[in-house]
Amino acid sequence: NAGVTQTPKFQVLKTGQSMTLQCAQDMNHEYMSWYRQDPGMGLRLIHYSVGAGITDQGEVPNGYNVSRSTTEDFPLRLLSAAPSQTSVYFCASSPRTSGEYNEQFFGPGTRLTVL
Amino acid sequence: SQQGEEDPQALSIQEGENATMNCSYKTSINNLQWYRQNSGRGLVHLILIRSNEREKHSGRLRVTLDTSKKSSSLLITASRAADTASYFCATPKGTGRRALTFGSGTRLQVQP
């Protein structure tokens, strides 16, 4: 299994540009999430999904869109990039377990710079 | 503010010493998790402790949970240079608690 994969690894955008960060997992996990990590900080939740067709907002959703058309993929779209969105973005997935929240598996991250 | 807050923010020790990191949280939880992040990498799950557990061990890791004080600690015994990393506590949040809230982390430096 490849686990959680993210592309691209690095990206530089100009203010106002849009782009999609890709995330895929091959573990048949129902739950997927997107986080951003700013320098010296912990992770902040952007959006998450509990299954195909179901998404919800996290702590910092503004400026980002998500969709979940398949179990495997959970892309994150930046609508109009701003310098404040310069960060490292992590995608994570988790299996569904009855009555218990389980550990999350993280991808390697995408380092995004917005000029 | 973060649900989980770790302290200290940074810790430097010698190889062989023990490292203790603390985490406080605000709301009720059904479990608390600890993750490690090596520089420039993604997070790796270390250990999960359920709300009805007080202590849990995994190799050189020992985690405690005090739900009355809303706090947890992570002890790494006999530390090694390879333990150098940032350590985060995380608690479930969101609809049905399907995602996690992370603290700002403790940066551990183990000197060889």
Side-chain angles (χ1 to χ4, degrees):
Chain A
N1 285 352
V4 180
T5 57
Q6 292 183 239
T7 56
K9 285 189 170 55
F10 302 94
Q11 183 70 50
V12 178
L13 293 177
K14 293 181 180 177
T15 297
Q17 287 185 315
S18 62
M19 79 158 295
T20 299
L21 279 62
Q22 301 293 342
C23 174
Q25 52 91 9
D26 60 0
M27 299 174 282
N28 203 31
H29 286 174
E30 290 207 12
Y31 306 141
M32 297 186 75
S33 307
W34 274 104
Y35 299 86
R36 60 176 286 175
Q37 184 178 32
D38 299 320
M41 305 271 294
L43 279 68
R44 290 185 292 168
L45 181 64
I46 304 172
H47 286 286
Y48 63 100
S49 168
V50 299
I54 307 169
T55 63
D56 206 346
Q57 295 183 348
E59 303 168 69
V60 288
N62 292 341
Y64 308 95
N65 270 359
V66 292
S67 60
R68 183 98 180 269
S69 55
T70 67
T71 300
E72 294 77 22
D73 301 298
F74 191 42
L76 178 72
R77 282 182 288 278
L78 278 71
L79 308 173
S80 177
S84 60
Q85 293 178 305
T86 293
S87 190
V88 181
Y89 291 83
F90 290 100
C91 178
S93 72
S94 180
R96 179 177 185 174
T97 54
S98 58
E100 186 74 53
Y101 185 79
N102 214 337
E103 66 181 87
Q104 293 207 342
F105 296 79
F106 282 84
T110 293
R111 188 174 297 272
L112 175 69
T113 301
V114 183
L115 303 175
Chain B
S1 62
Q2 297 283 338
Q3 160 75 326
E5 294 292 343
E6 293 90 339
D7 85 274
Q9 290 187 332
L11 181 61
S12 182
I13 59 174
Q14 298 294 124
E15 245 185 347
E17 293 181 337
N18 295 342
T20 299
M21 289 157 265
N22 302 297
C23 168
S24 60
Y25 58 92
K26 295 184 172 65
T27 62
S28 64
I29 59 172
N30 59 9
N31 71 73
L32 184 143
Q33 302 173 37
W34 286 89
Y35 287 78
R36 183 185 72 213
Q37 183 180 35
N38 289 88
S39 181
R41 308 291 292 273
L43 278 73
V44 174
H45 181 266
L46 292 177
I47 194 166
L48 180 154
I49 185 166
R50 295 178 175 80
S51 59
N52 61 354
E53 297 175 313
R54 291 295 167 260
E55 187 171 311
K56 197 165 183 178
H57 296 255
S58 176
R60 293 184 295 113
L61 305 180
R62 173 178 168 256
V63 170
T64 63
L65 179 64
D66 187 335
T67 53
S68 66
K69 294 182 180 177
K70 292 188 168 57
S71 66
S72 173
S73 68
L74 172 67
L75 168 68
I76 304 174
T77 60
S79 63
R80 306 166 181 166
D83 295 327
T84 294
S86 292
Y87 292 83
F88 297 89
C89 68
T91 54
K93 72 161 291 177
T95 303
R97 306 192 176 196
R98 306 303 187 202
L100 294 174
T101 296
F102 286 84
S104 52
T106 293
R107 293 185 301 281
L108 174 65
Q109 177 76 40
V110 182
Q111 307 285 354

